[in-house]
Structure formats: structure tokens, C-alpha cells
Amino acid sequence: MIILQFINNDESTPVLDLDGEPLKIGEEYKILSSPLGGGRVYLADLGNSKCPNGVVQDSSRIPLPGTPVKFFTMKIGGDHLVHENLDVGIIFLTKTSKLCVNENIWKVGDYVIAPNQPPRFVVTGGTLGFPGPNNLKNWFKIEKYEMGRPNSYKLRYCLSKYICPDYNFNCADIGLTTNSGYNCLSLNNSPYPFGFYKLKKNDALLIIPYV
């Protein structure tokens, strides 16, 4: 059963970008590291899927520009803003082959049964649409997580009762796990703080500073 997310905006705080402006549904952003020295989040080809599906943080000495994202929610009406602690979907905006054109939505990877239990990585391949059995893994929350810089947040996988009222999920923060030489976003107990930079028309060829 699908339950739509009706929200009283007076009781929910909008997520703010690095300029202190509310995050808007449908606008383009880049996800940046909040701590100094960390890089931007981008889509990477880790070689383990037919389509690039790695959600990773840049750790190179030469900063990469990162991959733009858009946020979407299941809110009906309202202010068209992304709010703290409410379910949100994330989609990479990048050119892909026809084979991979629908593979840019973030989701949490499956459990892997192994002697040394590997982490559940954040990958792409989610399904766009109203909450249902096919897309329970591609809803996240953005929560305040100040780490010495204003407007820092952590990402969290923790489905609300609005999306799945009859099922209990193990909630987990999203941090970084080294895998195949990449800093991959994964579910763990060490949340990593991020910030959000709204793209402007003249940003296409610029390296975005964290200021």
C-alpha cells in the first residue's frame, strides 16, 4: 500500500545549501565534503556492473568537478523544498549510454552473505516513482550534522512509516568505505558530513571552491 507524504512545513526545517538557501526540488546541486581536504561526490565506474554505479567521494590530489544531482520527494504540493529528516531521492545528472539511461538513481546495495560481512554500499540503479516494493532502497534522509562549518549534513538510510508502515528497517548513517581504491559511500556507524552547492549558469567549467 502506497502512503503519500503530507507534510506540515511549519514543523519541518528545510535543508540549506552552502549559501544558506533552502534546497529546492528539481534544481541542480553538487554534493561536497564538509571537512577540509575532502572531495566532491561523483558517479564512478568500478567495473562490477554493466553500467557505472559507484557513488564515491573524490580522493585524488587533482580535484574532480563532481557529478551534479537533483533531489526529489513524494510531497504533494507544499513549498517544493527538501526538508530535514524526511524521505528524499537522489539522481545523478550525467550523460550515459542508452543502455544505462535509467541507471542514475541512488539506492542502497543488497546484503551480501559472506564470512566477513561486507558493507552495504550506496550505488545507482534505483527506480523512480511512488514508494513501493520496487524502490524501497532508494529513499534517504538528510539530517543536520555540523562539523565546524555551517550547513553541514549527514545522509542516512532510514525509511519512514510514510513509505513502509508495516516493515521495520535497520537504520544506518552513510559514511565512507575504501573499496578498490575509491572512497565509496556506504552504510556504517561513522557518518560523513557533506554540504550542498547549488549550480549556477557559469559553473559548467569551474572547479567549485568550498567557501
Side-chain angles (χ1 to χ4, degrees):
M1 177 181 180
I2 295 173
I3 295 183
L4 300 181
Q5 196 167 342
F6 294 95
I7 295 169
N8 182 343
N9 291 325
D10 292 334
E11 298 177 357
S12 182
T13 304
V15 176
L16 302 180
D17 64 21
L18 295 177
D19 293 320
E21 298 295 325
L23 250 64
K24 295 182 179 180
I25 297 169
E27 298 285 351
E28 295 187 21
Y29 295 87
K30 288 192 178 182
I31 302 177
L32 282 65
S33 166
S34 183
L36 289 172
R40 299 153 182 83
V41 172
Y42 70 102
L43 175 64
D45 186 355
L46 305 185
N48 55 3
S49 174
K50 64 182 179 182
C51 299
N53 76 333
V55 180
V56 304
Q57 180 212 37
D58 176 29
S59 59
S60 63
R61 294 183 179 180
I62 301 176
L64 297 177
T67 306
V69 301
K70 281 186 178 181
F71 301 95
F72 56 93
T73 72
M74 291 297 105
K75 291 193 298 182
I76 303 299
D79 54 14
H80 303 291
L81 302 180
V82 178
H83 290 257
E84 293 181 24
N85 306 316
L86 295 176
D87 302 291
V88 62
I90 305 172
I91 182 170
F92 276 130
L93 304 175
T94 184
K95 293 182 179 179
T96 61
S97 66
K98 291 183 179 179
L99 177 67
C100 302
V101 69
N102 295 318
E103 295 289 320
N104 291 341
I105 298 171
W106 289 27
K107 70 175 185 179
V108 174
D110 297 327
Y111 282 108
V112 176
I113 299 176
N116 295 320
Q117 188 69 32
R120 296 183 70 185
F121 292 104
V122 179
V123 295
T124 59
T127 303
L128 186 64
F130 285 101
N134 294 328
N135 63 13
L136 293 179
K137 297 177 183 176
N138 55 250
W139 298 100
F140 301 89
K141 286 184 171 66
I142 301 174
E143 299 182 1
K144 197 72 173 177
Y145 192 63
E146 295 288 13
M147 292 291 291
R149 286 174 177 265
N151 304 329
S152 296
Y153 296 87
K154 68 177 180 179
L155 300 173
R156 185 169 172 79
Y157 179 63
C158 189
L159 292 180
S160 71
K161 293 298 182 181
Y162 293 104
I163 287 200
C164 196
D166 300 322
Y167 195 89
N168 292 321
F169 282 84
N170 292 325
C171 298
D173 292 324
I174 294 176
L176 301 177
T177 299
T178 302
N179 182 41
S180 302
Y182 292 89
N183 285 336
C184 299
L185 274 65
S186 65
L187 304 189
N188 59 36
N189 293 319
S190 300
Y192 191 88
F194 293 101
F196 306 101
Y197 178 88
K198 184 178 179 181
L199 289 179
K200 303 172 180 63
K201 291 183 179 179
N202 59 350
D203 284 339
L205 299 178
L206 296 178
I207 297 295
I208 300 169
Y210 194 128
V211 296

